[in-house]
Amino acid sequence: MSRLADQHFIVGITGGIAAYKSAELVRRLCKQGAQVQVIMTQAAKAFIAPLTLQALSGRPVRDTLLDPEAESGMGHIELGRWADTIVVAPASADFIARLAAGLASDLLSTVCLATSAPVILAPAMNQAMWQKPTTQRNLATLRADGITLLGPADGPQACGDTGPGRMLEPDELIECLTNSQNPGPLENIRVMVTAGPTWEALDPVRGLSNHSSGKMGYAVANAAKLAGASVSLISGPVTITPPTGVELKNVTTAKEMLGAVESSVSGFDIFIGVAAVVDYRPAQVAPTKMKKATQTLTVEFVRNPDILSTVTQQPDPPFTVGFAAETDQPLEHARQKLKNKRLDLIAVNQVGGDDNPFGSDHNTLTLISQHDQVELGRDSKAELARRLVEEIAGRYHAKNPA
Ligand code: C5P
């Protein structure tokens, strides 16, 4: 997966002929899965139409600082917070001077001032303007302030001059931007996640299942992807939207889930079993709808295979993480599962009372390994998933030093 995927970029465009190249930069960022918000200066709009950038980025272009309507949505401070990276391409001599002086005279300069995200400039200007001591002084100030400069390149210019001041080409900028992103802790690691409930049919219309919404498992798959892993998500029946950028396989029963896991788990480094697998299935599945002919009904159930145990019994098992949802003595039961299923780590949540995790966007997790216990506390499932994946990555690398 691209390191740019799901990253939030603000692409700033200032007034210069190289602005036409920014359309291609925006297109390529979006193609790599990045989310792009374009901010244009007034001068930029003389070179390229905002509508082009809106169509390519899928977001209306922002160009005004004192716009009550836009500010009531994502205001200039929120824009600065939203951005993971701000890249200004082309960055004109005027914009560089305003940034070096700390001016907040339009939306782009204000957002650059307000943000704590890295700011990257791709300067573009006439070679004489580039070489002027004033411009060089401003650039030295910006470098000293931690702003990154990409380019410019040397060569023929639109004005007929030859020299330094050409904006880098979009593919060169993309390469630099990719290299500037820290590789996630799970880069080049393959992670398989099971999620959701399973459904064990009794007849064509009835069956046994549980309240699992799949939210925790989907959040874990997404967090692993954001950490750089390539992720396979094997999901029981749920109604939520799967995360983008993960390979999804839908299954219904525990046996199908086991089949999907067994057929490819040998290629994976980490396995995280978040699915609430139904432990028993009806011994017989009636081919047609069962009629209510008797006062009582006895159904025989048989044990479903334990997917986690099957994974840890592989000859070279992946780093394996289980989940435990318990109504009583959760930590004791989880420790037993950690041992019986030969897991590297287990995430425990208590079911019942005010803290029922089923269907909720929040959860409370405790992590238990053979050696330690870590309280992740109560938080959103997205944040808990992020911290769980961070813990898993650290422990995986400690167990498998490079
Ligand atoms: O044994 P118990 O169902 O409480 O264990 C929960 C953990 O085991 C979860 O990680 C769940 O995904 C996994 N599990 C499994 N196969 C089963 C039952 C549970 O992999 N048949």
Side-chain angles (χ1 to χ4, degrees):
M1 200 184 61
S2 165
R3 280 188 205 170
L4 303 177
D6 288 324
Q7 291 293 311
H8 292 182
F9 279 90
I10 286 182
V11 175
I13 306 179
T14 70
I17 180 59
Y20 78 92
K21 294 186 190 173
S22 310
E24 181 62 9
L25 174 66
V26 169
R27 191 184 74 83
R28 289 192 185 214
L29 282 170
C30 292
K31 212 171 153 211
Q32 305 243 9
Q35 297 199 41
V36 178
Q37 171 65 62
V38 175
I39 301 180
M40 297 176 84
T41 63
Q42 295 311 314
K45 292 193 289 182
F47 291 91
I48 184 165
L51 196 57
T52 306
L53 284 318
Q54 173 177 317
L56 291 169
S57 66
R59 284 192 166 80
V61 166
R62 298 287 300 271
D63 57 7
T64 312
L65 177 58
L66 304 173
D67 175 348
E69 201 182 313
E71 284 288 309
S72 69
M74 190 162 17
H76 60 279
I77 302 295
E78 279 85 26
L79 280 169
R81 288 195 187 125
W82 176 85
D84 294 314
T85 306
I86 297 183
V87 52
V88 183
S92 65
D94 173 72
F95 183 76
I96 286 169
R98 287 194 285 125
L99 208 56
L103 293 181
S105 47
D106 64 4
L107 181 62
L108 185 56
S109 54
T110 305
V111 172
C112 286
L113 207 54
T115 195
S116 52
V119 177
I120 298 175
L121 305 183
M125 66 197 72
N126 165 269
Q127 55 81 26
M129 292 166 78
W130 172 257
Q131 293 181 78
K132 268 280 177 323
T134 333
T135 305
Q136 289 303 317
R137 265 200 308 278
N138 288 335
L139 290 164
T141 302
L142 293 177
R143 276 195 207 95
D145 289 348
I147 285 178
T148 304
L149 300 177
L150 301 179
D154 214 311
Q157 300 201 303
C159 54
D161 283 3
T162 299
R166 284 171 57 89
M167 188 172 105
L168 292 190
E169 295 302 322
D171 56 349
E172 294 173 299
L173 289 175
I174 289 285
E175 197 183 320
C176 295
L177 292 175
T178 304
N179 292 337
S180 74
Q181 305 293 314
N182 287 333
L186 292 181
E187 181 146 287
N188 297 324
I189 304 288
R190 294 149 303 173
V191 177
M192 182 178 273
V193 180
T194 64
T198 62
W199 169 265
E200 311 298 334
L202 188 57
D203 70 13
V205 294
R206 305 181 185 93
L208 188 67
S209 190
N210 56 56
H211 289 305
S212 171
S213 63
K215 285 181 182 174
M216 192 68 224
Y218 279 37
V220 169
N222 195 44
K225 175 201 71 179
L226 292 176
S230 59
V231 179
S232 164
L233 172 60
I234 298 175
S235 176
V238 296
T239 53
I240 57 174
T241 311
T244 55
V246 308
E247 187 189 288
L248 175 69
K249 181 155 181 45
N250 288 306
V251 295
T252 304
T253 66
K255 270 171 56 179
E256 282 171 20
M257 189 172 273
L258 177 69
V261 168
E262 268 189 319
S263 64
S264 53
V265 73
S266 64
F268 283 80
D269 306 297
I270 297 174
F271 180 86
I272 312 173
V274 196
V277 183
V278 175
D279 291 321
Y280 292 89
R281 66 180 184 278
Q284 307 287 337
V285 182
T288 53
K289 187 180 168 194
M290 292 164 66
K291 300 284 179 289
K292 45 179 182 296
T294 53
Q295 282 308 316
T296 59
L297 175 68
T298 305
V299 178
E300 190 189 355
F301 288 95
V302 293
R303 269 289 278 274
N304 265 330
D306 192 288
I307 300 170
L308 275 181
S309 301
T310 312
V311 169
T312 55
Q313 279 160 20
Q314 303 277 315
D316 182 17
F319 185 95
T320 307
V321 182
F323 266 69
E326 294 291 341
T327 51
D328 62 301
Q329 296 180 304
L331 300 183
E332 288 72 11
H333 282 118
R335 267 198 197 91
Q336 208 53 51
K337 278 177 209 179
L338 180 81
K339 194 164 160 236
N340 294 347
K341 302 189 189 213
R342 296 196 238 164
L343 306 176
D344 293 286
L345 190 67
I346 191 158
V348 196
N349 47 45
Q350 176 126 24
V351 184
D354 294 340
D355 220 14
N356 196 333
F358 284 113
S360 165
D361 289 326
H362 291 80
N363 203 356
T364 307
L365 282 189
T366 304
L367 307 183
I368 300 179
S369 77
Q370 248 185 6
H371 314 289
D372 63 353
Q373 181 172 323
V374 177
E375 300 293 340
L376 296 188
R378 181 168 168 76
D379 218 318
S380 68
K381 287 184 175 174
E383 176 58 14
L384 286 172
R386 190 191 67 73
R387 292 180 52 209
L388 170 66
V389 163
E390 210 172 74
E391 285 283 342
I392 292 172
R395 289 160 195 259
Y396 169 80
H397 289 298
K399 194 177 173 187
N400 303 278

